[in-house]
Amino acid sequence: QVQLVESGGGLVQTGGSLRLSCAASTRTFSNYNMGWFRQGPENEREFVTTISRFGGTTAYADSVKGRFTVSRDNAKATMYLQMNSLKPEDTAVYYCAAATVFSRDMGKYEDWGQGTQVTVSS
C-alpha cells in the first residue's frame, strides 16, 4: 500500500496552465506505474494519462494529448502533471493513482490520492 497526496490544483482562466504534483509515501516508488484520472461535475471518473515505472512510456487520453505532459521523479517519489492550454472541460477533481501494471484502466490501480480540484473558468 502506498499513500498518495495530490497538490497544485486551483482556479485558472481558459488557456492557462497548472502543474499538479502527486507525492508518494513509499520508498519503492519506482515499483509502481502511475496514473492521473479526473472526474468532472457531470462526468464519470476518466483516464487522463499514465507513466511507466521509470518514465520511459506514457499514454494520454485523446482529450488531453498535446496539452498535458506527465512526468515523474523517482528520487523524490513524485509524479507531475503539467497542464497547458486549459479548457473549461478540463474542470474536474484530479486524482493520482498507483498500479503494478501499465494500464489506462481505472480498475488496475490499487491506491489513490484524495484528489485536487482544478477549475478552468470561461
Side-chain angles (χ1 to χ4, degrees):
Q1 186 178 8
V2 54
Q3 280 70 53
L4 303 170
V5 179
E6 303 94 334
S7 62
L11 175 64
V12 65
Q13 293 183 343
T14 297
S17 298
L18 284 173
R19 184 175 176 85
L20 306 184
S21 297
C22 173
S25 64
T26 182
R27 294 179 179 176
T28 57
F29 184 62
S30 63
N31 286 354
Y32 299 93
N33 302 275
M34 299 294 297
W36 289 99
F37 295 78
R38 68 186 182 185
Q39 186 168 7
E42 300 179 356
N43 299 314
E44 302 291 331
R45 191 171 299 186
E46 65 179 3
F47 168 77
V48 177
T49 183
T50 186
I51 185 166
S52 61
R53 294 170 60 202
F54 297 100
T57 307
T58 59
Y60 296 90
D62 288 343
S63 59
V64 307
K65 197 171 299 180
R67 300 187 298 121
F68 291 11
T69 303
V70 65
S71 61
R72 65 190 293 164
D73 185 338
N74 286 347
K76 295 182 178 180
T78 303
M79 175 181 62
Y80 305 95
L81 182 64
Q82 179 65 48
M83 305 186 295
N84 299 326
S85 301
L86 283 161
K87 306 174 180 179
E89 49 263 48
D90 296 318
T91 294
V93 177
Y94 284 71
Y95 299 89
C96 68
T100 58
V101 297
F102 183 79
S103 179
R104 296 170 174 82
D105 185 358
M106 182 174 62
K108 300 296 185 182
Y109 289 79
E110 294 95 358
D111 299 295
W112 294 79
Q114 83 289 348
T116 186
Q117 176 71 49
V118 172
T119 303
V120 184
S121 65
S122 61

